Amino acid sequence: MSNLDGIALEIQWSNLIATVTEQAHALQRIAFSPIVREAGDLATALFDRRGRMVAQAVTGTPGHINSLGAAGRHFVEAFPPDGLSPGDVLVTNDPWLSAGHFFDITVMTPVFRAGRCIGFFGSTIHHTDIGGYGVGAGARDVHEEGLWIPLAKLYERGEPNRLLHEIIRRNVRTPEHVSGDLAAQVAAGRVGAERLNALCDRHGLDDIEALAGAILHRSEQATRESIRRLTPGTFHGESVFDVPGGTRITLKAAVTVDAAAGGMVIDFAGSSPEAPIGINVVLNYTAAYANFAVRACLDPDLPNNSGSLAPVKVVAPEGSIVNCRYPAPVNARHVVGMYVPFPVLKALHQVMPDRVLAEGSGAVWTIQIQGRDEAGRPFTSSMFNYSGGTGARRGKPGLSATCYPTGVAAVPVEVLEAAMPIEFTRKELRRGSGGAGRQRGGDGQVIGYRMRTRDTWLLNVVASRTDLGPEGLEGGAPGAPGRFLVNGAPVNEARKMAMRPEDEVLMETPGGGGYGAPE
């Protein structure tokens, strides 16, 4: 790529970002389910022929985008580009190959130019339902959690794989939503392919091999240069939190900075072992959030792609809660996975204290409801989430009711009330729940609701930090732990609960930890 100067490379890079972002916006506009359309629980990316992630959209969650990046090579190994045809579309939701649980389905659309595959547009989104147990941690092994889709062709030469489509429809509770969201992923991939071909037309490119190579090389070198500026050595961090059912989980991270090579190793040895409930995390998802913590501190302006991810190696003992083995249940893997950044940040605090924030509420509180409406019609809600406060920073207070580290938005209560028979009774900030400090932690929030039904209904709530609040940093006070109440009585349950028509639920999410001793 010696004939492409810095200005031309920047123009083409900006075009790629715009292309993959348009793919994301198209997906979000036409998706059926509120968790994608309103909350943005998705990721989209462009891959080269070798399955290397070249560019990602400006929207998306760290757990999805970096897991999607890891999935690229598995698709290419199973379906070599030269064996694909125009109109082929690939799919999987294998937890160990992609985003860590069955609800997240990854779709890859090959891009053809002059009859040759030149790359792929990929997307991962959270689907409304995947059969099995539903959203929650109550399953005992992965096979109780829903439909497992291997690496497969969803479309072949433009024709749908009718058997696979029918298998999916027959195994989910919301076939119209799942089929509609899969169609949205396919349509968004086609939008990306059209825009990439238009980009190649404008710049006279036969393919994107040289462009991708230059972007990935420069991204890796820039990341290594940022690491070289850090103090070398091994630094340790630890985070302890409670999960549904009251179990306490410990995550330990040893971050080794090799300044000479410009590399970093994050080792989770000493972390808790696999759990008997569905909160276990595959290594893809652990690496996704560990890399997010590093990049947020190191140089957040660098591109996020396979090049910039290459200098950071994430390892964990097989059989630990952050590198679980088949057939460990993984449905609610986010309740541990979203805490992965905190021990990494504590280790990095010893290297770059001005860029690290105190512990926050961590995993979003996830809810799914099943039952019958007042007319007796069955329904299964889309998953919806509520966040607590983030930890304070050295020079700024924490953010209140903000999803961190995931970055998804809350679905507006008006949308939820229109989509299912739910009535919200409270939605307000939980004032004073953030930890005191020189900079105060962000506040959590209070959410109350009940169902408009005459029948028993089923409630899955994946709550955490109801016992141990988030730690402060440098003398800051901890944030308040959360509370999960049914009719005013505390509940701490990992499994699906049968509720009466008149029951009322109240959730108070945790506040974030403070930073620095209060003045």
Side-chain angles (χ1 to χ4, degrees):
M1 191 132 189
S2 57
N3 62 333
L4 188 63
D5 62 28
I7 294 176
L9 181 60
E10 180 62 30
I11 291 171
Q12 293 183 21
W13 166 249
S14 298
N15 287 173
L16 288 181
I17 293 295
T19 297
V20 77
T21 299
E22 184 170 353
Q23 176 201 5
H25 288 164
L27 173 54
Q28 201 162 2
R29 281 195 305 270
I30 58 182
F32 276 47
S33 58
I35 189 65
V36 179
R37 191 179 65 247
E38 303 288 342
D41 199 359
L42 60 93
T44 60
L46 168 67
F47 296 80
D48 68 4
R49 277 174 52 90
R50 286 179 270 181
R52 300 179 299 176
M53 184 171 69
V54 179
Q56 68 163 92
V58 296
T59 186
T61 72
H64 279 166
I65 191 63
N66 289 338
S67 296
L68 173 59
R73 63 184 176 86
H74 298 298
F75 279 103
V76 170
E77 288 171 2
F79 298 99
D82 290 336
L84 295 172
S85 302
D88 287 353
V89 179
L90 312 177
V91 66
T92 191
N93 71 344
D94 188 315
W96 282 269
L97 301 183
S98 52
H101 70 173
F102 290 148
F103 281 93
D104 290 340
I105 300 179
T106 297
V107 171
M108 292 282 274
T109 302
V111 182
F112 284 85
R113 186 166 178 81
R116 179 173 178 266
C117 177
I118 64 170
F120 301 83
F121 279 93
S123 66
T124 299
I125 71 171
H126 185 102
H127 282 258
T128 304
D129 188 68
I130 199 65
Y133 183 85
V135 172
R140 294 162 294 182
D141 73 48
V142 71
H143 291 287
E144 293 183 351
E145 295 184 325
L147 179 65
W148 191 327
I149 306 171
L151 291 164
K153 287 187 178 180
L154 187 65
Y155 285 78
E156 187 163 10
R157 297 180 182 270
E159 293 298 318
N161 181 338
R162 298 194 183 282
L163 177 60
L164 179 56
H165 277 79
E166 189 62 19
I167 288 172
I168 293 171
R169 290 182 61 87
R170 290 296 183 94
N171 281 276
V172 301
R173 299 176 183 89
T174 57
E176 299 305 323
H177 274 201
V178 173
S179 295
D181 283 349
L182 278 173
Q185 289 182 266
V186 173
R190 289 172 178 161
V191 168
E194 291 171 2
R195 298 297 183 268
L196 184 62
N197 269 298
L199 182 154
C200 291
D201 289 341
R202 286 196 305 274
H203 296 283
L205 301 177
D206 295 327
D207 55 42
I208 62 168
E209 285 301 293
L211 176 59
I215 290 169
L216 295 176
H217 175 74
R218 292 192 183 203
S219 299
E220 180 175 348
Q221 292 308 306
T223 301
R224 292 193 183 279
E225 194 56 40
S226 294
I227 295 174
R228 290 188 182 102
R229 293 195 288 267
L230 302 179
T231 302
T234 299
F235 308 93
H236 297 270
E238 179 177 319
S239 186
V240 181
F241 52 95
D242 58 285
V243 296
T247 302
R248 292 193 177 188
I249 303 296
T250 299
L251 298 185
K252 295 184 177 181
V255 178
T256 299
V257 177
D258 184 348
M264 185 181 292
V265 176
I266 304 173
D267 190 345
F268 286 92
S271 298
S272 293
E274 287 177 7
I277 59 174
I279 60 173
N280 300 292
V281 188
V282 302
L283 190 58
N284 275 354
Y285 198 76
T286 298
Y289 271 107
N291 271 292
F292 168 75
V294 172
R295 292 186 48 75
C297 296
L298 192 64
D299 192 342
D301 293 328
L302 287 174
N304 190 61
N305 54 34
S306 294
S308 58
L309 295 172
V312 181
K313 182 180 181 181
V314 179
V315 296
E318 189 175 359
S320 66
I321 200 164
V322 287
N323 185 11
C324 65
R325 298 164 297 191
Y326 166 84
V330 295
N331 227 354
R333 50 84 169 107
H334 73 281
V335 80
V336 171
M338 289 181 187
Y339 286 99
V340 162
F342 294 126
V344 178
L345 290 171
K346 287 182 178 179
L348 293 176
H349 177 256
Q350 302 160 55
V351 184
M352 42 181 128
D354 56 320
R355 298 190 180 186
V356 171
L357 75 171
E359 283 190 345
S361 58
V364 291
W365 287 23
T366 302
I367 304 100
Q368 187 183 43
I369 299 170
Q370 296 166 293
R372 293 181 179 274
D373 63 18
E374 291 176 309
R377 294 170 298 212
F379 73 91
T380 296
S381 78
S382 177
M383 181 184 78
F384 53 104
N385 304 310
Y386 290 106
S387 57
T390 72
R393 297 152 285 181
R394 175 168 277 191
K396 296 179 180 179
L399 303 173
S400 296
T402 298
C403 292
Y404 179 89
T406 178
V408 297
V411 179
V413 295
E414 295 86 356
V415 172
L416 292 172
E417 288 182 333
M420 61 176 169
I422 191 171
E423 178 185 350
F424 285 88
T425 56
R426 292 181 69 180
K427 181 74 161 63
E428 61 195 61
L429 287 179
R430 188 184 176 197
R431 300 290 184 185
S433 57
R438 189 171 63 250
Q439 297 292 343
R440 191 173 186 90
D443 287 332
Q445 57 182 313
V446 180
I447 308 101
Y449 55 91
R450 57 189 173 221
M451 301 306 296
R452 301 191 303 273
T453 181
R454 298 184 179 92
D455 299 298
T456 298
W457 50 287
L458 298 177
L459 174 65
N460 261 330
V461 172
V462 185
S464 59
R465 284 210 195 278
T466 57
D467 182 28
L468 297 172
E471 290 184 1
L473 200 55
E474 292 189 5
R483 296 205 308 160
F484 172 32
L485 308 165
V486 176
N487 301 324
V491 176
N492 194 344
E493 179 57 67
R495 305 186 189 282
K496 196 178 298 186
M497 296 181 292
M499 310 288 286
R500 297 170 301 180
E502 67 272 17
D503 286 343
E504 185 164 345
V505 179
L506 187 70
M507 304 190 313
E508 300 179 359
T509 61
Y515 199 123
E519 295 177 349

